[in-house]
Amino acid sequence: MEKMKISSAYSFLLLLLVLLHLAAEVRPQLSSDFYAQSCPNVLKVVRRGVLNALKSEMRMAASLLRLHFHDCFVNGCDGSILLDGSDGEKFAFPNINSARGFEVVDAIKAAVEAECGGVVSCADILAIAARDAVLLSGGPSWTVLLGRRDGLVANQSGANSNLPSPFESVDSIAQKFKDVGLDSITDVVALSGGHTIGLARCFVFNNRFSGDDMPLESNMASELQSLCEASSDGNATAVLDRNSVDVFDKHYFTNLVSEKGLLSSDQQLYSGDDAAAKALVVAYSLSTTLFFADFANSMIRMGNLSPLTGSAGEIRKNCRVVN
């Protein structure tokens, strides 16, 4: 009987050690109240910074949203897109002369540091700012899960290979989504709806009137061709969502149904061979409620891509450089 008691105690101790080891291996998860004690006003501070930026330039809403998207698709949502350096993600082909809003992030970070120094990551600031940019443009809100830490390295080659291109097919873009953990075509179409705000350079859409096999409404084609032919460097810009410039709404999808998608990759969602994508475009063009709900859910999923938590990474003091 005594041997049985010793054996049972040993087994219990062994089990306890295994459970403790497993618990140590599990990283803390993101949570909506991560800063409730350490920086309770962070959401207010970021909201104020985004609002000030949009008062100066409404286009900044699209820029902040895009920064979060381009951050999460490379190394996960770790703020690596913000790092300076010629080998950084800022100078990757999809971002160079295109990604913008870094000064706005700097200003928000400075305000957050003044509120609670060394506590809130740049990655979390990007996630909050993207949500606020959408909301303040008339779009949906969602609960931003927090607790990300900042990465220590940028990944320029990853940015060049992982980020979807406006010249790619729906299948190719969907595969890039799957590669980072977004497996549903709903994520592809809903997040493409972020193009309801913002601008694009001639460089990324001049194929629409010169050989692209996706349809384009004739008047729009003529206007775009005239715009781009007058721009020798390809940097002239056009609105992504024709006739609905700065408002986050379902009009982007209405345009796709009317063959007025600015980017080839956008128009493919409706005019291409993917029946599921086309069905979603039609559904979103008819229902703001559905689009907003799916967009918010996809943003939450994207914001959860491979975050650094616990003791991984760091809390940068300056978003442009590691500590």
Side-chain angles (χ1 to χ4, degrees):
M1 182 66 70
E2 191 66 28
K3 288 183 178 180
M4 288 181 63
K5 289 182 179 179
I6 294 173
S7 177
S8 297
Y10 177 78
S11 297
F12 175 76
L13 180 61
L14 184 61
L15 177 61
L16 182 62
L17 289 173
V18 170
L19 291 174
L20 288 173
H21 176 72
L22 289 174
E25 292 294 315
V26 177
R27 288 180 173 179
Q29 297 301 303
L30 304 181
S31 65
S32 60
D33 60 352
F34 187 84
Y35 297 112
Q37 300 300 319
S38 59
C39 194
N41 292 322
V42 62
L43 296 180
K44 294 179 181 178
V45 174
V46 175
R47 175 72 58 84
R48 184 163 57 246
V50 174
L51 181 59
N52 288 338
L54 267 56
K55 285 180 179 178
S56 298
E57 181 192 22
M58 276 302 298
R59 180 189 176 191
M60 190 53 65
S63 300
L64 293 172
L65 175 59
R66 189 166 182 260
L67 279 181
H68 182 45
F69 182 97
H70 281 215
D71 182 42
C72 290
F73 265 65
V74 184
N75 291 358
C77 307
D78 66 347
S80 56
I81 193 173
L82 302 174
L83 290 170
D84 281 342
S86 59
D87 58 345
E89 293 165 32
K90 291 180 180 180
F91 293 95
F93 185 72
N95 293 327
I96 192 167
N97 296 325
S98 175
R100 57 196 300 275
F102 300 107
E103 294 80 7
V104 171
V105 175
D106 290 341
I108 295 173
K109 174 64 171 175
V112 171
E113 285 293 302
E115 179 74 22
C116 41
V119 173
V120 181
S121 68
C122 300
D124 273 349
I125 287 173
L126 272 186
I128 301 167
R131 188 273 311 275
D132 289 351
V134 170
L135 177 63
L136 294 172
S137 299
S141 184
W142 58 91
T143 299
V144 179
L145 301 180
L146 301 168
R148 301 167 191 79
R149 289 170 64 84
D150 295 320
L152 301 176
V153 294
N155 184 357
Q156 187 175 115
S157 62
N160 281 324
S161 60
N162 295 1
L163 291 170
S165 161
F167 307 112
E168 290 183 297
S169 67
V170 173
D171 286 345
S172 177
I173 291 173
Q175 185 59 54
K176 289 187 174 183
F177 272 63
K178 289 178 182 178
D179 289 343
V180 298
L182 298 173
D183 295 331
S184 172
I185 191 64
T186 300
D187 293 319
V188 176
V189 181
L191 291 177
S192 294
H195 287 169
T196 184
I197 52 177
L199 307 176
R201 296 179 297 154
C202 283
F203 176 76
V204 298
F205 65 78
N206 59 15
N207 63 317
R208 295 287 280 128
F209 48 82
S210 59
D212 185 43
D213 58 359
M214 288 296 109
L216 178 62
E217 191 269 335
S218 58
N219 289 334
M220 181 174 174
S222 297
E223 290 177 21
L224 293 177
Q225 186 167 5
S226 297
L227 172 72
C228 294
E229 286 178 350
S231 170
S232 59
D233 61 3
N235 285 324
T237 57
V239 296
L240 284 161
D241 188 1
R242 190 176 175 86
N243 298 324
S244 178
V245 182
D246 294 322
V247 179
F248 197 100
D249 55 20
K250 67 181 180 64
H251 192 266
Y252 161 85
F253 296 103
T254 304
N255 275 342
L256 298 187
V257 174
S258 302
E259 298 182 349
K260 294 180 181 179
L262 182 66
L263 305 181
S264 179
S265 56
D266 286 341
Q267 191 59 51
Q268 282 189 58
L269 296 174
Y270 178 76
S271 302
D273 298 327
D274 193 308
K278 181 173 184 176
L280 284 167
V281 169
V282 172
Y284 294 156
S285 73
L286 297 173
S287 174
T288 296
T289 301
L290 178 61
F291 167 46
F292 278 15
D294 283 356
F295 182 85
N297 287 332
S298 290
M299 285 296 293
I300 292 171
R301 283 195 290 272
M302 186 185 77
N304 290 345
L305 294 177
S306 305
L308 298 175
T309 58
S311 60
E314 66 180 12
I315 305 299
R316 277 184 227 141
K317 298 176 182 177
N318 178 341
C319 290
R320 293 176 180 265
V321 294
V322 297
N323 295 341

